[in-house]
Amino acid sequence: MKTTTNSDTVIVLDFETTGLSPDCGDRAIEIGAVKLVNGEAVERFQQLMYPGQRISRFIEDYNGISNNMLKKAAPCEEVMPAFAKFIEDFNLVAHNASFDSRFLDAELNRVKCKQRENFACSMLIARRLYPEAPNHKLGTLVRYKSLPNDGTFHRALADAEMTAHLWLTMMQDIKDRHSFAAIPFEVMQKLARTSKQATTGFLRRESARVSKI
DNA sequence: TGCCAGGCCCTCTTTAGGGCCTT
């Protein structure tokens, strides 16, 4: 029996890839994801994935994933169906979601799995909530908000874990500032699309609206 | 460390250009 619902569960995910664009032939080489249920990490997914091509020295240096490691990794045809099962129809979160969503769609498309649209971007939301931060790179925000980390960066699960902490911290900061009892996922999605000047008014209105539901 | 692309935001804008962020 399914024990969680779409509303209380989000999947925070991160891809390591061979480059920046699946349209230019780049492939995913590692997936990391954390399932959050009612604000708690209850399950994790981490898998290297053989991309069918050698990766560049830059990528090896960037994330520490080597060609030798990928030779032994499972192919897309094995990993993606398992990942599609892991994420089910839950809402998705990523840091700079436009990047991860393109790779997710591309890899799901290879195995004929359903593509996804219900993404929220932690980077766009962080820009709204923390305009005073030095910048909005994941590592900078982890330091800026003193979020838990083990010092590992640019590996899929480690980045997904940090993004999950950032997501929960942003939710809590919004609750503290605007008296939300709970924040619907759709409000977070809309917040990312709200202009900087309109952010405070938007959250005030949404808080009042949600409290009446 | 940087480049590739794409989506988004901001502003000295909207008939545009540049910066940020992801690997």
Side-chain angles (χ1 to χ4, degrees):
Chain A
M1 178 188 291
K2 194 171 167 181
T3 57
T4 59
T5 69
N6 280 355
S7 60
D8 58 29
T9 301
V10 296
I11 304 289
V12 185
L13 62 87
D14 183 74
F15 279 97
E16 300 304 311
T17 71
T18 65
L20 292 172
S21 175
D23 292 339
C24 295
D26 289 320
R27 297 290 308 276
I29 58 174
E30 187 180 43
I31 306 172
V34 179
K35 179 185 284 185
L36 297 177
V37 179
N38 294 323
E40 296 221 358
V42 300
E43 198 174 352
R44 290 166 175 82
F45 184 102
Q46 181 180 30
Q47 187 78 59
L48 288 171
M49 190 161 79
Y50 178 66
Q53 58 187 263
R54 288 185 62 80
I55 61 173
S56 68
R57 179 63 183 272
F58 170 75
I59 294 297
E60 284 188 312
D61 291 344
Y62 184 80
N63 53 31
I65 298 171
S66 68
N67 280 292
N68 278 338
M69 292 163 68
L70 291 173
K71 276 182 187 173
K72 306 166 192 166
C76 171
E77 291 73 17
E78 286 183 30
V79 177
M80 290 313 296
F83 189 57
K85 190 174 180 182
F86 181 79
I87 63 179
E88 298 187 49
D89 287 323
F90 295 125
N91 293 317
L92 305 176
V93 172
H95 200 70
N96 197 11
S98 68
F99 175 85
D100 291 280
S101 66
R102 281 185 289 121
F103 276 95
L104 178 62
D105 284 348
E107 298 296 348
L108 286 175
N109 189 50
R110 288 177 180 274
V111 294
K112 311 298 181 193
C113 286
K114 185 178 70 171
Q115 297 188 349
R116 302 295 301 272
E117 295 178 354
N118 49 337
F119 252 105
C121 179
S122 58
M123 182 191 74
L124 294 178
I125 296 169
R127 282 178 177 169
R128 293 289 166 268
L129 296 184
Y130 313 127
E132 72 285 359
N135 60 56
H136 299 87
K137 296 177 183 177
L138 179 59
T140 300
L141 290 167
V142 166
R143 287 186 287 274
Y144 180 69
K145 298 297 292 182
S146 302
L147 302 178
N149 71 91
D150 65 1
T152 303
F153 290 88
H154 305 308
R155 287 299 298 266
L157 184 57
D159 284 3
E161 296 269 13
M162 290 185 285
T163 303
H165 284 298
L166 174 62
W167 177 259
L168 294 174
T169 297
M170 293 193 298
M171 298 272 280
Q172 189 59 52
D173 283 347
I174 293 172
K175 287 179 181 177
D176 291 344
R177 293 180 193 177
H178 297 279
S179 303
F180 278 88
I183 307 173
F185 187 80
E186 293 73 18
V187 171
M188 297 295 275
Q189 287 180 301
K190 287 180 184 173
L191 174 58
R193 301 278 182 274
T194 303
S195 72
K196 187 164 62 178
Q197 294 80 3
T199 294
T200 300
F202 169 77
L203 287 172
R204 190 178 298 138
R205 287 192 301 277
E206 287 298 312
S207 175
R209 184 183 68 81
V210 170
S211 66
K212 293 176 183 174
I213 297 174

